[in-house]
């Protein structure tokens, strides 16, 4: 039996990450706010930790307005899909726009970089 809920006017990126973690059994931690994921990783709780060496399967949190405080409603979160050379990586993200059209909201693979003017924290599930 499934559940269908509206995601209108709801930032569901962290809910998507929680759902993936539940489906894969990667961690028991679940939360709908990005800042809570970052706080738990920084504290080393729930088998989460911050890493500077991202790998596929890690979680990536973005603070679009900088400061690495992950507050103010300008946060986003996804799952690292691949890591390229230098600062580039791809992530699977929920509640994000289609990279081909820039419109809509869904689950898409996005090309990202750690040197694009926003703060990035990689979270390792161990």
């Amino acid at each position: 039996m499934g559940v269908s809920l509206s995601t209108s006017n709801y930032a569901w990126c962290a809910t998507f990450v929680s759902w993936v973690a539940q489906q894969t059994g990667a961690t028991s931690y679940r939360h709908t706010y990005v800042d809570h994921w970052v706080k738990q990783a920084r504290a080393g709780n729930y088998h989460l930790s911050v890493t500077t060496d991202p790998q596929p399967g890690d979680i990536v949190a973005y603070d679009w307005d900088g400061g690495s405080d992950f507050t103010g409603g300008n946060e986003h979160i996804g799952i690292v899909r691949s890591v390229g050379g230098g600062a580039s990586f791809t992530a699977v993200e929920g509640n994000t726009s289609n990279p081909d059209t820039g419109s809509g909201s869904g689950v898409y693979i996005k090309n990202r970089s750690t040197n694009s003017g926003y703060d990035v924290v990689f979270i390792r599930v161990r």
Side-chain angles (χ1 to χ4, degrees), residues 12-94:
W12 51 272
C13 58
T15 301
F16 171 71
V17 170
S18 292
W19 179 81
V20 171
Q22 180 181 21
Q23 298 302 306
T24 62
T27 178
S28 63
Y29 187 68
R30 314 273 183 275
H31 212 285
T32 58
Y33 289 99
V34 175
D35 67 318
H36 288 250
W37 279 93
V38 173
K39 286 177 188 173
Q40 295 302 331
R42 286 178 171 162
N45 296 331
Y46 299 98
H47 302 287
L48 303 174
S49 62
V50 173
T51 182
T52 57
D53 179 33
Q55 301 295 319
D58 286 345
I59 296 167
V60 57
Y62 311 95
D63 188 347
W64 297 133
D65 59 1
S68 287
D69 59 358
F70 293 86
T71 61
N74 293 307
E75 306 81 42
H76 188 58
I77 196 166
I79 301 166
V80 175
R81 182 173 186 255
S82 64
V83 179
S88 67
F89 62 96
T90 62
V92 179
E93 302 170 8

Side-chain angles (χ1 to χ4, degrees), residues 97-116:
S97 62
N98 182 323
D100 296 328
T101 66
S103 63
S105 179
V107 176
Y108 295 102
I109 297 170
K110 301 294 272 270
N111 294 314
R112 301 287 190 191
S113 175
T114 57
N115 59 4
S116 293

